[in-house]
Amino acid sequence: MPTRFAIGQQARMGIGLLLPQSGTYAGLGHAIANGLNMALAKTGNRLAGREIRLVVGDDGSNAATAAAAAQHLIQAEKVDVLVGAVHSDSAQGMVKVARDTGIPTIIANAGWNAATGASCASNVFRTSFSNWQVNWPMGKVALDRNYRRVATITWRYTAGTEMIGAFEENFTRLGGTIVQRIQMPFPQMDFAPHLAALAAAQPDAVMAFFAGAGARQFITDYAASALKGVPLLGPGFLTEGARDLPAAEGILTTLHYANGLDMPVNRHFRAQYSAAYGRSADVYAVQGYDSGQLIAQAVETVRGDTNRAALIAAMETARIDSPRGSFVLSKAHNPVQDIYLRQIRNGEEIVLGIAQRALADPAPGCKVK
Ligand code: PHB
């Protein structure tokens, strides 16, 4: 009689997925999970002969919940790799645990700059972006359009502060003036009084970061405020789930992805995603997909051996054939990628061009560089 387990068959490989299970960012987490599942399904949910076991935890959109959930995934669930975090504060909790335990970790959204900067680590990777990276190019875009007096608004937390800060850094360096700056508590959506305060400053344009459910509400309220007609700028997260809103018409954004990128990998990815999930893919789905691709490539390279040092070395040299365009990771483990300029026209996200080509985050303070 044959034995139940063939000799040499390896244990299942555990992937711990840490995503928001409720709140304004829950939909972003679903898209990441869908994208990751799609990438793993390509090889029948097996990598180098090992079956994949996905275990989901809640990133809670804060550092303490994310850290506790990460600990649980590692200690109780014995996962081999961590993937996740939508919210920059969750990423801080996850990275702390990653640094303490050495587990290979992939940030699939959160842009917290220091994750691939001052708090970088040999075992921490990012397949998404840094908050600096997607917003810095907009400083020049705004001035090129002669928007010289700009007002900014965001949620007051790591991502909002860092994204708007990166825009302001480039914009003021090139001679622009910030005429009003508003930060409101996350995830508050009481935008009307703040929009009135922005309008009072009579800006040439407004630069805003909101995402998920909050972004849709902001766009709707903006068009109904005294700012109607004043150009609205932002990182592309602002419009990723909102292009169907008439109020989104004309919004100009920068991002490392755009639906309309005319590349075979993107067209194929989008068709497959729509067929699998009955909705169109967005940047979060792409990031989940590329996290799956990074794991798959690395595990195949080490032939299923999840020895951490070998897996980390394989991740460092990966080239990801992404729907956003192919990319490699910087020494600090953040994608080196084109930042696209996009605009909503007639309900479609149009790619106007590349705002900054092959942009690498400067990764200040990263010691593994
Ligand atoms: C973040 O908190 O880092 C974050 C959240 C949502 C986004 C982008 C960044 O769309």
Side-chain angles (χ1 to χ4, degrees):
M1 225 176 94
T3 49
R4 236 166 89 82
F5 297 102
I7 291 164
Q9 182 171 341
Q10 293 163 298
R12 292 191 296 169
M13 170 163 174
I15 301 177
L17 191 53
L18 205 55
L19 294 170
Q21 302 301 322
S22 61
T24 200
Y25 286 167
L28 285 49
H30 289 146
I32 291 172
N34 289 345
L36 178 73
N37 275 307
M38 209 172 106
L40 298 174
K42 279 203 297 195
T43 51
N45 290 306
R46 303 185 81 85
L47 292 176
R50 291 178 65 177
E51 195 184 320
I52 301 295
R53 178 174 60 98
L54 263 189
V55 193
V56 179
D58 189 357
D59 89 359
S61 290
N62 73 68
T65 312
Q71 285 288 7
H72 176 82
L73 289 171
I74 296 165
Q75 279 158 15
E77 300 288 352
K78 308 260 184 279
V79 299
D80 300 289
V81 179
L82 275 185
V83 178
V86 166
H87 190 287
S88 274
D89 293 349
S90 304
Q92 295 178 37
M94 185 169 88
V95 166
K96 180 172 187 329
V97 173
R99 292 175 62 102
D100 289 350
T101 59
I103 187 166
T105 296
I106 300 173
I107 300 176
N109 181 68
W112 177 43
N113 288 333
T116 53
S119 297
C120 75
S122 59
N123 60 315
V124 174
F125 296 82
R126 181 149 54 192
T127 51
S128 50
F129 58 91
S130 76
N131 290 328
W132 180 91
Q133 194 177 31
V134 285
N135 288 276
W136 189 82
M138 187 55 99
K140 179 161 188 310
V141 170
L143 285 166
D144 285 348
R145 293 183 172 235
N146 220 16
Y147 307 148
R148 309 201 67 81
R149 302 173 69 258
V150 171
T152 66
I153 180 166
T154 188
W155 282 313
R156 186 186 312 109
Y157 85 98
T158 311
T161 308
E162 290 185 344
M163 290 200 204
I164 296 300
F167 164 77
E168 290 186 0
E169 175 194 326
N170 201 18
F171 179 67
T172 56
R173 174 184 75 98
L174 295 170
T177 305
I178 301 296
V179 294
Q180 174 70 279
R181 188 184 276 123
I182 290 177
Q183 301 204 342
M184 50 193 287
F186 174 87
Q188 207 190 81
M189 292 201 267
D190 180 18
F191 297 116
H194 301 301
L195 290 167
L198 291 181
Q202 298 190 305
D204 297 335
V206 172
M207 169 76 181
F209 163 67
F210 296 102
R216 285 183 70 86
Q217 189 64 49
F218 177 76
I219 288 169
T220 305
D221 291 357
Y222 188 95
S225 78
L227 288 163
K228 185 178 169 60
V230 175
L232 180 55
L233 321 174
F237 312 113
L238 191 63
T239 53
E240 272 304 90
R243 80 186 129 105
D244 61 299
L245 295 175
E249 190 64 21
I251 299 177
L252 191 66
T253 60
T254 44
L255 198 67
H256 53 296
Y257 177 67
N259 295 344
L261 287 176
D262 191 16
M263 302 185 290
V265 176
N266 188 43
R267 281 198 301 271
H268 180 70
F269 165 77
R270 298 193 65 78
Q272 276 208 320
Y273 189 94
S274 300
Y277 302 109
R279 48 167 54 217
S280 60
D282 57 16
V283 69
Y284 309 104
V286 169
Q287 292 166 175
Y289 184 71
D290 289 343
S291 301
Q293 294 208 88
L294 177 59
I295 294 172
Q297 225 179 82
V299 174
E300 295 291 349
T301 301
V302 299
R303 297 202 170 82
D305 175 2
T306 34
N307 165 292
R308 284 178 176 174
L311 198 58
I312 287 167
M315 285 189 183
E316 281 184 326
T317 54
R319 170 175 282 277
I320 303 298
D321 209 5
S322 170
R324 78 188 83 171
S326 115
F327 71 86
V328 294
L329 298 172
S330 67
K331 292 253 168 42
H333 297 173
N334 192 63
V336 178
Q337 54 196 344
D338 293 344
I339 304 298
Y340 302 101
L341 181 62
R342 318 145 7 126
Q343 187 167 40
I344 307 276
R345 291 188 186 165
N346 301 319
E348 290 300 323
E349 188 84 70
I350 305 298
V351 187
L352 300 183
I354 296 178
Q356 192 85 35
R357 196 175 288 281
L359 184 60
D361 185 284
C366 173
K367 298 293 192 310
V368 301
K369 277 196 276 186

